[in-house]
């Protein structure tokens, strides 16, 4: 038995397997994979793919906030810019979908490095405001740049053939590609969290002066996690562009940054599976409450307030606290 402490507070105990991953985590991942493989036979595939894209986006943001302790109000910049670059690469340059997604992801990583290099010099609310300011700059750039299509965005993005062989116009083929990308991304985040690098991040989050006194170059770790988070957020945005065949200003607008914060807090900040649950809840609400129009935002706000009052650690955070197992 190995005891650990999650961000939700309090000691939790998990049975470790030979590979180091808790047995209940393996069971959850296996169950989640089985559920997602069966999902398109019972639900609209595009709806499930949207959940997968936003689940990866929320997990990437949680890596920065939940484990790095850095609150960014501008993560839509990486999600949206990757979406634009991927769409442009696929439609104008004629790249295959995997190369278009890689291009979008790399651009998000570079953008994350440039913004992160400046933002990490400040802490707390100043850090958050700097990220928001840069995100707004990206938004206005996207509005004015010729390649983004301005207010019209980039429409009718071709899905193409994966590796020149698999036709992604088939929803079944596209679904399993999105599932593979999202699941691989989430597993990568899991590995980062539970690596020595992840442990140092948690130490910096809990007590930065002490981490500095132990000899860790804190700013390098902050920049590294910022770039990783931005890159994975870009992967989610690029994948979404292929799924919906569209890149628009909505992807880079500040409300998108707000949505990913809401997903993370609702599901459980600092938990592995919380952002996935939060993304599923928010996307489901948006989908099934769309008939309410602008009232959807108000309903989301009310649900968020109730959740904060009743589930201060988020849905998964509360479950983790009740079961005394890290989730």
């Amino acid at each position: 038995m190995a005891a650990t402490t999650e961000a939700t507070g309090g000691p939790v105990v998990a049975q470790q397997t030979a590979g180091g991953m808790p047995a209940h985590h393996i069971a959850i991942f296996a169950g989640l994979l089985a559920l997602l493989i069966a999902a398109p036979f019972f639900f609209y595939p595009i709806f499930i793919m949207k959940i997968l894209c936003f689940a990866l986006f929320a997990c990437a943001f949680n890596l920065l906030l939940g484990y790095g302790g850095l609150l960014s109000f501008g993560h839509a910049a990486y999600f949206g810019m990757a979406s634009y670059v991927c769409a442009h690469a696929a439609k104008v340059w004629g790249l295959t979908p995997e190369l278009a997604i890689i291009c979008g992801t790399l651009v998000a990583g570079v953008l994350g490095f440039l913004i992160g290099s400046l933002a990490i010099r400040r802490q707390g609310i100043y850090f958050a405001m700097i990220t928001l300011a840069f995100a707004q700059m990206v938004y206005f750039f996207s509005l004015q740049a010729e390649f983004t299509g301005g207010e019209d965005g980039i429409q009718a993005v071709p899905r193409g053939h994966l590796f020149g062989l698999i036709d992604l116009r088939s929803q079944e083929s596209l679904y399993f590609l999105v599932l593979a990308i999202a699941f691989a991304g989430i597993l990568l985040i899991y590995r980062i969290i539970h690596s020595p690098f992840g442990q140092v991040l948690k130490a910096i989050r809990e007590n930065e002066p002490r981490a500095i006194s132990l000899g860790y170059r804190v700013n390098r770790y902050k920049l590294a996690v910022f770039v990783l988070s931005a890159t994975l957020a870009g992967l989610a945005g690029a994948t979404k562009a292929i799924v919906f065949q569209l890149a628009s200003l909505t992807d880079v607008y500040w409300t998108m940054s707000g949505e990913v914060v809401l997903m993370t807090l609702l599901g459980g900040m600092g938990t592995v599976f919380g952002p996935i649950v939060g993304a599923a809840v928010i996307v489901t609400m948006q989908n099934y409450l769309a008939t309410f129009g602008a009232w959807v935002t108000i309903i989301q706000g009310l649900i968020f307030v109730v959740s904060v009052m009743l589930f201060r650690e988020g849905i998964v955070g509360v479950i983790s606290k009740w079961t005394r197992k890290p989730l």
Side-chain angles (χ1 to χ4, degrees):
M1 303 289 283
T4 58
T5 302
E6 284 290 297
T8 52
V12 287
V13 179
Q15 180 67 41
Q16 299 288 333
T17 64
M21 182 184 290
H24 68 284
H25 282 185
I26 294 178
I28 292 173
F29 275 123
L32 183 60
L33 181 59
L35 179 65
L36 290 171
I37 290 174
F41 298 102
F42 300 96
F43 301 97
Y44 187 43
I46 296 293
F47 168 63
I48 306 298
M49 284 188 273
K50 183 177 181 180
I51 291 178
L52 287 170
C53 291
F54 279 98
L56 177 57
F57 185 24
C59 286
F61 178 76
N62 185 52
L63 177 63
L64 182 68
L65 175 61
Y67 295 94
L70 300 172
L71 174 59
S72 168
F73 284 151
H75 248 51
Y78 321 113
F79 181 85
M81 187 51 64
S83 178
Y84 273 122
V85 171
C86 175
H88 183 80
K91 185 173 182 178
V92 179
W93 296 344
L95 297 184
T96 53
E98 72 278 2
L99 292 179
I101 290 173
I102 290 172
C103 284
T105 304
L106 290 177
V107 167
V110 171
L111 186 62
F113 176 80
L114 295 175
I115 294 176
S117 298
L118 298 173
I120 61 168
R121 301 181 184 183
R122 294 293 180 265
Q123 296 180 342
I125 191 63
Y126 301 105
F127 172 87
M129 289 298 101
I130 289 173
T131 59
L132 177 60
F134 276 114
Q136 287 301 98
M137 289 172 61
V138 171
Y139 170 79
F140 287 112
F141 169 80
S142 302
L143 182 62
Q144 299 296 328
E146 184 177 346
F147 86 95
T148 63
E151 294 183 352
D152 295 327
I154 304 176
Q155 304 177 29
V157 178
R159 290 174 176 170
H161 290 71
L162 183 66
F163 304 117
L165 300 172
I166 304 173
D167 189 357
L168 295 185
R169 288 176 296 181
S170 165
Q171 285 198 2
E172 291 77 12
S173 300
L174 180 62
Y175 177 81
F176 285 105
L177 170 64
V178 175
L179 174 58
I181 291 174
F183 212 79
I186 291 170
L187 286 176
L188 174 61
I189 291 170
Y190 183 93
R191 183 67 190 94
I192 292 171
I193 290 169
H194 294 88
S195 68
F197 173 78
Q199 300 306 311
V200 174
L201 286 180
K202 295 173 189 176
I204 294 172
R205 177 196 66 195
E206 296 297 329
N207 195 327
E208 185 173 331
R210 186 174 183 182
I212 294 173
S213 70
L214 291 173
Y216 290 109
R217 296 185 177 182
V218 169
N219 281 349
R220 288 192 178 183
Y221 280 91
K222 286 183 178 180
L223 180 58
V225 72
F226 195 100
V227 173
L228 283 169
S229 180
T231 302
L232 289 163
L235 177 60
T239 304
K240 178 180 173 289
I242 296 295
V243 171
F244 290 94
Q245 300 181 276
L246 172 70
S248 68
L249 287 173
T250 303
D251 297 334
V252 290
Y253 196 43
W254 67 268
T255 54
M256 184 64 75
S257 296
E259 280 188 16
V260 76
V261 173
L262 177 59
M263 291 173 185
T264 304
L265 296 180
L266 182 61
M269 181 183 71
T271 64
V272 174
F273 302 101
I276 301 174
V277 173
V281 170
I282 296 300
V283 172
T284 301
M285 284 174 52
Q286 291 174 343
N287 186 71
Y288 289 99
L289 299 179
T291 54
F292 288 93
W295 284 93
V296 173
T297 305
I298 297 175
I299 295 171
Q300 283 182 357
L302 291 174
I303 291 176
F304 178 64
V305 170
V306 172
S307 298
V308 169
M309 297 293 290
L310 299 180
F311 309 103
R312 295 183 66 86
E313 299 89 358
I315 297 171
V316 173
V318 169
I319 295 173
S320 177
K321 192 174 183 180
W322 286 346
T323 59
R324 300 187 64 77
K325 289 184 177 181
L327 297 174

